Amino acid sequence: MIANIPYIAAMAMVVIGIYACVFRRNLIKVILGVALIESGANMFLITLGYRGLGSIAPIYTNAPATGNMTLPIPQALTLTSIVIGVAVLALMISFAVSYYKKTGTLDTRKGVLKE
Amino acid sequence: MMFMDWILHNAPVLILALPLLAAFATPLVGKLGKWPRNVFVVSVAVIVEALVIYLASDVIANGMHTYVFGAASGILLPSGYSVPVRIIFQVDAMSVFMAIISATVTLAGIVYSWAFVTDKQGQSKYYTLLLMMAVGMFGMEFTGDLFNMFVFLEILSIASCALVAFRISFSESSEGALKYMVVSAVGALFVLIAIALLYGQYNVLNLAAVGSAIQFTALDKIALVLLVSAFAMKCGAVPMHMWTPDAYSAAPAPITMVLVSASQASMYALFRIAFTLYGVSMNTGAVGWFIIILGVLSMFIGVTMALPQKDIKRLMAYHAISQSGYMLLGVGVGLATLGSSAFNEYGLTAMKGGIFHIINHAMYKGLLFLTAGAIYYRLNTRNLNKMGGLGHTMKWTAAFFIIGALAIAGIPPFNGFASKVLIYESVFRFSPLLSIIAMLVSVLTLASFVKVFHSAFMGPRLPEYEGVAKEVPWPMFVAMALLAAIVVAMGLFPNLIVDNLVTPAAQALAGRADYLNAVMGGA
């Protein structure tokens, strides 16, 4: 059970993020929801690398004399995903700023676009 | 011929590398002026198109290409499957079929943009992003690696969202772009979680390696649900279609055309996942029916939502949803009958119809969006109620519009007819009701486009557009003429396309074992 806690935490983050995306009307909260889903996905990936209990992070200087090092693939995937995530979040926030400038609100129900 | 062999061997990666490097070189070339930059971008697009056609001719004649990155020399993997940690491009007939569409649409979009994009700022960035979109599409179509597919999906999403908001001073741009971006980001993260689920079980990311090991456990089912829903969301199938009209109508017209092709790249990913990754290991009947129902809903709801629209590009965007329903229907019937005797009787024909409709749709819908862009370019409005009498002065645009409208409605001798007949005939044997719905949707499509033609091009000249409503500049004319010529040619000689491009593509999609064996070595 204790080994499953990271998986549960990652999936809980994803679910909270989806909830925020679907039910929140404030654009910043929607974007935060996307960020939460992303963090959950990244955490899930990292956790997958540690399936064999007792392995340590794949850092060369940290290498143990005996024992296992974690497979670095999930870490590489996570790095890529974080980099992509930064670009996505920056782009979304810039759209939100532009939307706010045009409508004076971040609420998608209240925003009336000016011609 | 050494050089040509080298080109052919490296074509899968050159098709990506060339636009990728050109994309980042474009702002530098842009310093030289507008003409050198435009010539540069157009020539890159032409070279890529030539490479794609060269690769396609070889793939269809000699079979699949497997390109292994980082191999010492030549192809390493097909014989000895020793190192699963490699990035692989796997190009089969379906991939090149999609790549031909992407390359042609990108070329037409770039030529059209030459005249269409007259904004003071950001022209070089516009072309950079447009080439990045092409990279994202080619990458999704060529890759044989699941994580790579996610990366290219994100490249495609970011580039297309930035382009949807290209005219950020317009009020609806940021709203459409934000909507598209949220949908794309959530969809892509679903794909990532699904990939992680598969990786957690099989410890490989290679599509063929996962495909040959797949057990269809409960976790695989969850991954399937995530992948299918994410890609269906990205290709704009009802009920996940709400972003399509906003994003399509906010984007500049040539971008809308490329967006249609980008949605089709997601649809390709959906088919690739369903047929190659899972294939007969899953319950193909249930997933096939799911895709069929998505298709029928998209067809019917798309067209009924299109009928009352007053904004010409919004109307066409709803038709784009409706037409993608035909592709889902055709290929869904193929999936539902996969592995049974019915597949050879009519399932394969339905798949051919669906796949043929992909290329037809990209061409005629692109043409229609370009004519809408031409009207907008001259009149500065997308409101159908404010248009009228354009047939007097914009004769060529009117002619191109008629070609596109008749093609989308499935009237012979245009290309939409050829693929729709394939779909009607084969789907009728699967379930007559679906075929009848498909025909009804065609009729409604025609009705809707008759309305558009009437309100935009017929009637007396309007005094407020006197002297404004002229024929479009030549680059826009060339782009529209290119697509119109393809539409007419494919409508007149559908056999050539079906025999040489569509049938190999349908067989490649259905032939799962070939795709897996090319990497796993005949296991």
Side-chain angles (χ1 to χ4, degrees):
Chain A
M1 180 60 204
I2 196 83
N4 286 333
I5 283 181
Y7 294 108
I8 295 167
M11 284 305 139
M13 273 171 94
V14 171
V15 170
I16 295 168
I18 293 171
Y19 173 84
C21 279
V22 175
F23 291 106
R24 294 287 132 181
R25 300 289 172 172
N26 187 313
L27 288 178
I28 298 293
K29 288 182 184 163
V30 171
I31 293 169
L32 283 177
V34 176
L36 271 175
I37 301 179
E38 195 203 315
S39 311
N42 288 339
M43 211 164 126
F44 183 50
L45 269 172
I46 285 286
T47 315
L48 283 177
Y50 291 91
R51 270 167 296 163
L53 277 178
S55 56
I56 65 157
I59 302 168
Y60 181 70
T61 50
N62 217 7
T66 56
N68 296 327
M69 264 166 105
T70 306
L71 194 65
I73 290 183
Q75 326 245 342
L77 303 187
T78 313
L79 264 181
T80 317
S81 157
I82 289 171
V83 171
I84 293 171
V86 170
V88 169
L89 286 184
L91 197 58
M92 280 198 291
I93 290 171
S94 65
F95 291 149
V97 168
S98 156
Y99 184 82
Y100 183 77
K101 275 185 186 159
K102 298 220 171 65
T103 59
T105 174
L106 280 168
D107 191 327
T108 45
R109 280 171 304 184
K110 290 184 193 146
V112 180
L113 293 169
K114 287 172 244 168
E115 277 303 317
Chain B
M1 290 307 286
M2 280 291 288
F3 179 67
M4 293 310 274
D5 286 344
W6 184 84
I7 292 275
L8 189 62
H9 177 243
N10 291 302
V13 70
L14 281 177
I15 289 169
L16 267 93
L18 205 63
L20 188 63
L21 294 175
F24 294 111
T26 305
L28 288 176
V29 181
K31 296 278 178 206
L32 300 175
K34 189 181 170 185
W35 266 82
R37 183 199 62 213
N38 289 359
V39 170
F40 172 72
V41 177
V42 170
S43 48
V44 167
V46 169
I47 293 170
V48 169
E49 170 91 44
L51 275 174
V52 168
I53 290 173
Y54 185 44
L55 178 63
S57 65
D58 188 71
V59 165
I60 286 163
N62 302 328
M64 189 184 311
H65 273 229
T66 310
Y67 189 91
V68 185
F69 284 83
S73 63
I75 291 176
L76 181 79
L77 268 177
S79 52
Y81 168 70
S82 53
V83 192
V85 189
R86 276 220 199 284
I87 293 175
I88 293 179
F89 274 6
Q90 231 175 322
V91 185
D92 66 359
M94 184 67 196
S95 312
V96 284
F97 175 80
M98 296 300 298
I100 289 173
I101 299 173
S102 309
T104 311
V105 166
T106 313
L107 176 63
I110 288 174
V111 171
Y112 188 88
S113 304
W114 192 320
F116 187 80
V117 180
T118 50
D119 305 59
K120 295 262 187 312
Q121 287 183 325
Q123 285 197 24
S124 298
K125 292 173 192 114
Y126 173 92
Y127 289 110
T128 303
L129 289 167
L130 189 46
L131 288 172
M132 290 300 288
M133 271 181 89
V135 173
M137 289 189 284
F138 290 135
M140 282 182 74
E141 287 150 11
F142 284 176
T143 189
D145 186 277
L146 283 169
F147 190 74
N148 228 3
M149 189 179 263
F150 163 76
V151 173
F152 284 116
L153 178 68
E154 285 281 28
I155 291 177
L156 180 58
S157 308
I158 293 172
S160 27
C161 291
L163 278 174
V164 167
F166 179 65
R167 286 176 171 161
I168 196 78
S169 58
F170 291 177
S171 48
E172 75 271 19
S173 300
S174 52
E175 193 187 357
L178 186 62
K179 215 177 234 182
Y180 188 26
M181 189 78 245
V182 169
V183 166
S184 305
V186 173
L189 288 169
F190 279 8
V191 172
L192 181 64
I193 295 170
I195 291 169
L197 283 171
L198 292 172
Y199 176 80
Q201 294 176 84
Y202 305 111
N203 291 320
V204 275
L205 287 164
N206 186 293
L207 209 153
V210 177
S212 57
I214 208 154
Q215 303 289 325
F216 206 52
T217 59
L219 282 178
D220 288 342
K221 284 178 190 165
I222 296 172
L224 177 69
V225 169
L226 288 173
L227 287 168
V228 168
S229 54
F231 284 124
M233 187 151 77
K234 278 284 288 174
C235 73
V238 172
M240 290 89 84
H241 66 290
M242 71 293 168
W243 60 271
T244 323
D246 288 327
Y248 280 17
S249 62
I255 299 308
T256 315
M257 177 175 73
V258 187
L259 276 180
V260 172
S261 185
S263 303
Q264 291 177 340
S266 295
M267 193 180 282
Y268 161 82
L270 173 64
F271 296 157
R272 182 58 87 199
I273 294 294
F275 279 93
T276 306
L277 187 62
Y278 285 87
V280 283
S281 74
M282 66 180 179
N283 184 350
T284 50
V287 181
W289 265 104
F290 182 74
I291 292 179
I292 290 169
I293 289 168
L294 278 185
V296 173
L297 277 177
S298 306
M299 275 195 310
F300 194 73
I301 294 178
V303 81
T304 44
M305 298 278 277
L307 281 170
Q309 298 300 323
K310 292 186 182 63
D311 180 325
I312 184 166
K313 278 180 77 183
R314 242 185 136 72
L315 182 140
M316 289 180 180
Y318 278 113
H319 279 296
I321 298 172
S322 158
Q323 297 298 309
S324 56
Y326 281 92
M327 305 158 205
L328 292 171
L329 172 65
V331 181
V333 168
L335 185 61
T337 57
L338 190 66
S340 67
S341 61
F343 183 73
N344 288 328
E345 284 173 38
Y346 54 80
L348 188 64
T349 317
M351 272 178 75
K352 282 183 203 168
I355 292 170
F356 192 21
H357 205 66
I358 297 178
I359 192 167
N360 289 341
H361 177 66
M363 298 305 147
Y364 62 63
K365 178 59 77 178
L367 180 62
L368 284 170
F369 274 124
L370 291 189
T371 55
I375 294 170
Y376 179 77
Y377 180 77
R378 285 300 182 204
L379 267 53
N380 228 10
T381 181
R382 298 198 307 250
N383 191 334
L384 282 169
N385 293 341
K386 290 183 184 164
M387 298 173 190
L390 297 176
H392 293 287
T393 46
M394 299 174 77
K395 291 192 177 63
W396 282 106
T397 309
F400 293 142
F401 183 87
I402 294 176
I403 291 174
L406 293 180
I408 197 175
I411 307 286
F414 298 102
N415 60 0
F417 171 73
S419 52
K420 283 185 179 177
V421 160
L422 280 176
I423 294 175
Y424 296 154
E425 283 184 342
S426 51
V427 172
F428 188 81
R429 295 185 60 189
F430 180 72
S431 161
L433 181 66
L434 297 178
S435 191
I436 291 165
I437 295 174
M439 285 182 208
L440 178 69
V441 169
S442 265
V443 174
L444 291 174
T445 309
L446 184 62
S448 166
F449 275 94
V450 165
K451 182 191 91 171
V452 177
F453 184 71
H454 184 82
S455 52
F457 293 100
M458 307 286 271
R461 295 183 193 209
L462 294 181
E464 61 263 40
Y465 298 130
E466 202 61 54
V468 178
K470 292 176 294 197
E471 197 49 73
V472 291
W474 66 267
M476 292 165 74
F477 174 80
V478 168
M480 289 195 283
L482 172 73
L483 291 179
I486 294 174
V487 167
V488 173
M490 290 201 308
L492 290 178
F493 308 105
N495 283 347
L496 280 177
I497 307 286
V498 171
D499 292 344
N500 294 319
L501 279 175
V502 176
T503 307
Q507 280 163 351
L509 201 53
R512 180 167 179 252
D514 294 339
Y515 193 92
L516 304 186
N517 291 346
V519 172
M520 305 305 289

